[in-house]
Amino acid sequence: MNDPPAAAAPRIAPHLAHWPARLPRELAIPETTLVFNLEVSARRWPSKAAYVFLGRRTSYAELHEQAERIAGWLQARGLRRGDRVIVFLQNCPQFAAAVYGILRADGVVVPVNPMNRADEFGHQVRDPQARFAITSHDLAGIVAEADAALDPAQRLEHVLVTQLAEAGPEGIGEPLDAAEAPSPAVLAWLRTRHPLPDARFVAWADALAAGHRPGPHLAGPDDLAALPYTSGTTGLPKGCLHTHRTLMSNAVGGGQWAHAGPETVSLAVVPMFHITGFMYGVLGNVYLGSTAVLMPRWDRELAGRLISRHRVTHWTCIPTMIIDLFGSPHYRSFDLTSLRYLSGGGAAMPAAVAERLKAEFGISFAEGYGLTETAAPSHANPPERTKPQCLGMPIFGVDSRVVDPDTLQPVPMGRAGEIVTHGPMVFKGYWGHPEATAAAFVEIDGKRFFRTGDIGRIDEDGYFFLTDRLKRMINASGFKVWPAEVESLLYRCPLVQEACVIGAKDDYRGETVKAVIVLRAEARGHARPEDIVAWAREHMAAYKVPRIVEFVDALPRSGSGKVMWRRLQDQEAARAAAGTSPG
């Protein structure tokens, strides 16, 4: 009698030897939608602060009621199940009310970077075929300008407009506490109010006052919930298909990983439109029933005061924020002793700063790793056992590997290869881009793995480290800048014949944006680099604007005629190493 074939040896994941004993290996993800999380928290803690903004507390009951009314208003104006709704706002309580209102109405949230200019915003309307948008007075002009440039059939039908400060104490007739106030310039911006452009634009307060109630909630866990946009190596930004289930995974897991619960007070300064801010400032905190202290814009002095006053326990940030806070002349006057957990990503934490955090507060900065496609973290450092300048280990239910980017075969431990990830938080694909979706995934051992495009390695403990990128991407203070997108915008500049965008070393931002430009014939001899920068500031988000512009006679090309951006990038790296500059 023949013996049965031997079973394949199980894949051993070395990080499990260091997995925190307090945590399950996988999560029991709720079979409900994200809307239910707000309903539960509003019932459990109706008077508890969901958000603190300019010193005013927005309770869970108030947040839930606003979301219900926004849902009713949207449905009264024809929102159908699965319709996409743009949220074009800075950090404010209205952002969360808008998100949960859209989801309660069975719609899909399209969070858009409020730094976008009209040229960029138009794509965010056209591509997802959005008919609704929710924005603020300071951004309504950009919405109107972008909308006017679209074909009539593509234009928005309804736009809800809020004044950011109306969620603060002045919105209910109370005085503003000076200790909670941002700078005078920022406060003036938060109070911005303009006449609405046309009848399609409706005031937030009027929508709430209308008192519409939504119909039954019909969406399920596998319905589309959000369509955050990300760019890539080519073309315009693409929408990432996230369901209630994919987002729920990290909404549930974030609190367990970070020792967080209803008693947690977090500082929410990472932009809410960004997948990290969306996860930890809109979804995860509401699931926990915790309190988020909101900052619409980074200000180290205000951050120090808010941490001190509200006894902030958790802060997800980018390392440059901590560096900036430590650089404040008032740093010693801030009471930061309440902080228990600091985490973040987007840029590596400098070793000296990490050591200072440990020495002064006993806190190990827990770096993490993830993408828009993975709903923020797929990897994280457990706070009990962090490693510096490390992506961490795969989190709940994640199988992540390092493979040869050409053969897709696993590489030996310690050797660099492409990071591929399978897990419950991985997106379903790119909106309207089946070819890009197919290229983004690979099947290994019967599982569907997402190809991150990042080059990394795994050490003997199973921790992941980033070494390079397959994709062209510039990381400026945690903001991802995709050169192809910036190039496509620069080509609209009347001075530019050709453009190639690369990353340049920056002592503070880590990297910054550099544009190598071939001028049009009529511009040569009189156009200046600052003219390109000035044009860019008018047409793209500030973090994408080239800080360095170099004029050349021609861009290097391959035999097939493609611009050899890698050669320019390598030349820039060599200059940085030598301490020289072009010219």
Side-chain angles (χ1 to χ4, degrees), residues 291-308:
T291 297
V293 181
L294 285 175
M295 290 184 67
R297 189 167 289 176
W298 172 247
D299 177 338
R300 67 185 185 185
E301 306 303 324
L302 180 60
R305 296 199 303 270
L306 293 177
I307 293 170
S308 304

Side-chain angles (χ1 to χ4, degrees), residues 51-200:
Y51 293 101
V52 178
F53 182 65
L54 300 177
R56 180 175 179 252
R57 300 161 64 87
T58 297
S59 71
Y60 271 102
E62 183 181 357
L63 181 65
H64 181 257
E65 178 62 19
Q66 288 190 10
E68 287 284 309
R69 294 188 181 213
I70 294 303
W73 183 88
L74 291 167
Q75 288 185 341
R77 277 152 182 78
L79 181 79
R80 301 181 297 267
R81 182 176 179 178
D83 279 353
R84 280 72 61 200
V85 183
I86 292 167
V87 179
F88 189 43
L89 288 168
Q90 297 279 359
N91 288 9
C92 59
Q94 299 96 310
F95 192 113
V99 166
Y100 285 101
I102 294 163
L103 296 177
R104 174 63 179 83
D106 302 318
V108 178
V109 178
V110 183
V112 175
N113 187 343
M115 296 174 74
N116 276 5
R117 311 301 295 170
D119 290 359
E120 300 160 309
F121 184 78
H123 173 69
Q124 309 282 15
V125 177
R126 181 174 55 248
D127 188 69
Q129 301 162 356
R131 297 188 298 123
F132 297 80
I134 300 176
T135 190
S136 52
H137 276 269
D138 60 304
L139 298 174
I142 291 174
V143 174
E145 181 184 348
D147 187 73
L150 297 173
D151 292 337
Q154 299 173 324
R155 291 176 183 166
L156 293 164
E157 296 176 16
H158 303 282
V159 183
L160 196 55
V161 184
T162 184
Q163 181 201 42
L164 295 173
E166 69 184 293
E170 296 172 339
I172 56 172
E174 294 182 358
L176 180 65
D177 186 331
E180 306 272 2
S183 69
V186 171
L187 187 57
W189 158 62
L190 295 173
R191 291 167 171 162
T192 297
R193 187 182 293 276
H194 297 301
L196 298 179
D198 58 56
R200 295 173 300 159

Side-chain angles (χ1 to χ4, degrees), residues 14 17 40 44 120 269 295 310 332 341 346 389 445 564:
V40 169
R44 284 177 169 169
E120 300 160 309
V269 64
M295 290 184 67
H310 296 288
R332 293 293 176 187
Y341 182 77
Q389 301 185 341
D445 295 342
M564 300 172 71

Side-chain angles (χ1 to χ4, degrees), residues 137 165 278 283 361:
H137 276 269
F278 192 71
L283 302 183
F361 300 102

Side-chain angles (χ1 to χ4, degrees), residues 271-283:
M272 287 169 145
F273 84 88
H274 187 277
I275 193 65
T276 302
F278 192 71
M279 187 55 60
Y280 295 119
V282 181
L283 302 183

